[in-house]
Amino acid sequence: MTQQPLLELRGITKSYSMGEQKFLALKGIDLTIMPNEFIAITGPSGSGKSTLMNILGCLAKADSGSYRLAGNLIADADEDALAGYRNQSIGFIFQSFNLFPKLTVLDNVIYPLRFQRGRAAHRKSRAIKALKDVGLADKLANLPNQLSGGQRQRVAIARALVTNPDILLGDEPTGNLDSKTSAEIMALFRDLHANGQTIILVTHEQEIAEQCQRELRLVDGQIVKDETKNTAEQHALGVAS
Amino acid sequence: MKKFAHGIYEGGVSAIQSIFAHSFRSALTTLGIIIGVSAVIAVVSIMEGLGATVGKQLQDLGSEMVTLKAHTSTEKEMLGMTSKISYEDYLYLKNKTDNVQYMAAKVKAFSLGSDIQFAQKSITTQIIGTESEYKNVVNVYPASGRFLTETDDLKRRRVVFLGSSLVEKLGLKADPVGEFVTLYGEWFRVIGVAEEKGSLFGFDQDNYVIAPLSTIESISGQRGNLGVDIVFVPDVNVAQSAVIEQMTQLMRYKYKINDPADDFFEFETAEKTRKQFSDITDSITFVAAGVVGISLLVGGIGIMNIMLVSVTERTREIGIAKALGATSTIILIQFLVEACVLALFGGGVGIVVGYIFALFILMVMPVAAAVLVPLWAIWLALGFSFTIGVVFGIMPAIKASRLDPIDALRYD
């Protein structure tokens, strides 16, 4: 099967200037991600995994190298085009949920659709469907602070999914959750993956990484480990948890 | 363009959501604008109402009426001199002018005091000594009884014609014709009561007594020596200015005045009075506009302040919005629309509050018949508010739109 890569990074570098000193966060990353992969990016703090996630999520641009996302060259994109990719190609999930506290669950999920064309009724039905998919169809009118942590993260996942993004990009998505809820959220990710969704999770928890199909380990701005588990092992893990 | 319109729509929705999310703060923020706009609306609506009332009353007064009165230049005044138009001047002008429909002399007998008594009551009033034709000049008609006649003047009869409010003030019976009142310690018989005129600037216009000019003169003991005002109405087909010009020339000829600056008389027309009045109201409006300008400036700074606080407070929210695909333009528009909606809201509330305030003032001080909010004032207030919103909202909006999404997401 000759599939086009969904994501292709070649020689990506990124540096930050901290006062006088220049700090090289990514030292030439080469990475190819195919559709329907389930990937964990791990590494100690300061390894560059957040920087890599920001670049993957089109929140920041690399200093050099090329990044191709679903066939689009991101390096050439301007601010507004980046916003467009973030809106249509990426679904962000954050550690601290990052829901709008004053908006209802439904309005939170509709939010990214507001930057796309479409009728209000159509947006609403898409949002309701996304909320159904994460099992929150009965909480439409609630405010985020009326929900538990796990429920909030489900709303955030629904919001990320509502635009049918190419990639779900999670930044420590279980970091603020207890182990039971965390397992539920991971199960949800596995379901989504089983339905064909490409998922990238950034995490420092080895336990989470082990539930993914492929693990990329970053140290000092370089990929030191790129390991794809065999499917049987994966399957066994999924059943176990 | 379509994208821009979409941005305004989405920005507007977000703006209104966030205004209602912080409704108390939003209300406080707009207080400056509310105060400014309500002040201007109150002042303008009262002034306009006053203008309409006065205009109508001047109309009633007879817009064609001209008053010729003595004018003392400041220079002469400092020397202790007072100019005077005599009854003899009146007769002279009356003889020489033929373009005049009605003409009368009147004397305001201030020097004699101005009290009228009935039974135990004494009321301060305006005593006018004049002739029968006066009624045609100023359009004063009897509600009961009759006005002065020529005979009253010729025979120096001790009769008075009363302004309507005096009847009640003096405690006279409803139709007091035939009753006797006291002026200057002399008995006068009431021959008629005038129709009511109402009040102007809160002054009672019906508090006056009209008696024959000759009677007043004889009581004063200054026959032929009292200064008079001459009131007249030009003929229907003759321009007011032409008659004024003719009289001016006659007076100058009679007193051998070569330099117009030496004129010791002046003409007052309804037009002139209206002009004087509108000059006053214009300057009041102007001063009010200045005050309002300052308060709107303060209100605008208040909005800018709150918007800056709001941008800082919502940094994370802006970061999320950007991560979910909001462009800088959408963020900019959202904050700008928010500032404008706040300002317009303040303007709208200000208009209502100002109107109510004007009604309240009118209730306490009945200076005008009605409060009038002209459409231009509403548009001006809203336009001004909107401008304030744009001018003071643009800076915080730019600040918000330029936030880096990564930094904004990390902000606590």
Side-chain angles (χ1 to χ4, degrees), chain A residues 26-48:
Chain A
L26 294 178
K27 301 170 180 167
I29 300 283
D30 295 319
L31 178 62
T32 305
I33 295 173
M34 302 303 284
N36 197 23
E37 284 202 72
F38 189 8
I39 299 175
I41 300 175
T42 59
S45 52
S47 62

Side-chain angles (χ1 to χ4, degrees), chain A residues 128-146:
Chain A
I128 290 172
K129 188 187 169 295
L131 279 164
K132 252 183 210 154
D133 290 348
V134 299
L136 281 177
D138 56 334
K139 302 281 184 195
L140 303 184
N142 288 62
L143 287 174
N145 63 11
Q146 295 167 321

Side-chain angles (χ1 to χ4, degrees), chain A residues 94-115:
Chain A
F94 304 93
Q95 178 174 4
S96 49
F97 322 132
N98 279 345
L99 299 174
F100 294 107
K102 306 272 185 178
L103 297 186
T104 64
V105 164
L106 182 62
D107 283 336
N108 262 289
V109 178
I110 288 176
Y111 193 85
L113 294 177
R114 294 189 1 195
F115 308 120

Side-chain angles (χ1 to χ4, degrees), chain A residues 72-234:
Chain A
N72 303 300
L73 256 181
I74 301 303
D76 298 342
D78 63 7
E79 268 290 319
D80 284 1
L82 284 181
Y85 292 131
R86 290 197 291 264
N87 183 234
Q88 283 149 34
S89 299
I90 315 281
F92 282 100
I93 298 154
F94 304 93
Q95 178 174 4
S96 49
F97 322 132
N98 279 345
L99 299 174
F100 294 107
K102 306 272 185 178
L103 297 186
T104 64
V105 164
L106 182 62
D107 283 336
N108 262 289
V109 178
I110 288 176
Y111 193 85
L113 294 177
R114 294 189 1 195
F115 308 120
Q116 299 182 0
R117 292 200 179 173
R119 291 172 177 282
H122 182 58
R123 293 178 190 176
K124 196 174 162 185
S125 64
R126 277 177 76 179
I128 290 172
K129 188 187 169 295
L131 279 164
K132 252 183 210 154
D133 290 348
V134 299
L136 281 177
D138 56 334
K139 302 281 184 195
L140 303 184
N142 288 62
L143 287 174
N145 63 11
Q146 295 167 321
L147 304 180
S148 69
Q151 286 173 324
R152 285 186 218 186
Q153 197 59 301
R154 282 169 190 273
V155 175
I157 292 169
R159 185 177 66 181
L161 284 172
V162 76
T163 57
N164 290 321
D166 296 309
I167 313 165
L168 265 194
L169 202 54
D171 182 10
E172 305 275 8
T174 57
N176 276 11
L177 303 174
D178 59 50
S179 55
K180 183 170 168 284
T181 322
S182 174
E184 282 168 18
I185 294 293
M186 285 309 292
L188 178 59
F189 280 130
R190 275 198 306 278
D191 286 349
L192 293 169
H193 174 234
N195 287 327
Q197 181 68 52
T198 311
I199 301 171
I200 304 174
L201 301 182
V202 174
T203 181
H204 65 272
E205 287 176 75
Q206 202 53 43
E207 210 178 311
I208 298 293
E210 273 161 17
Q211 297 180 51
C212 299
Q213 198 183 41
R214 178 178 171 191
E215 184 187 343
L216 294 169
R217 187 167 175 78
L218 254 73
V219 173
D220 286 341
Q222 282 173 316
I223 296 175
V224 296
K225 177 176 151 191
D226 184 349
E227 187 184 83
T228 308
K229 299 176 187 81
N230 68 50
T231 335
E233 189 182 339
Q234 259 288 301

Side-chain angles (χ1 to χ4, degrees), chain A residues 54 59-60 79-80 83 86-87 92 94 96 98-103 107 111-112 114-117 123 159, chain B residues 2 6 10 13-14 17 21-22 316-317 320-330 405-406 409-410:
Chain A
N54 288 339
L59 285 165
E79 268 290 319
D80 284 1
R86 290 197 291 264
N87 183 234
F92 282 100
F94 304 93
S96 49
N98 279 345
L99 299 174
F100 294 107
K102 306 272 185 178
L103 297 186
D107 283 336
Y111 193 85
R114 294 189 1 195
F115 308 120
Q116 299 182 0
R117 292 200 179 173
R123 293 178 190 176
R159 185 177 66 181
Chain B
K2 203 168 173 187
H6 181 69
E10 287 306 335
V13 171
S14 305
Q17 276 171 345
H22 307 102
R316 198 184 177 89
E317 214 175 289
I320 303 169
K322 284 198 160 182
L324 296 178
T327 59
S328 299
T329 315
I330 285 180
I406 297 170
L409 276 172
R410 218 178 278 148

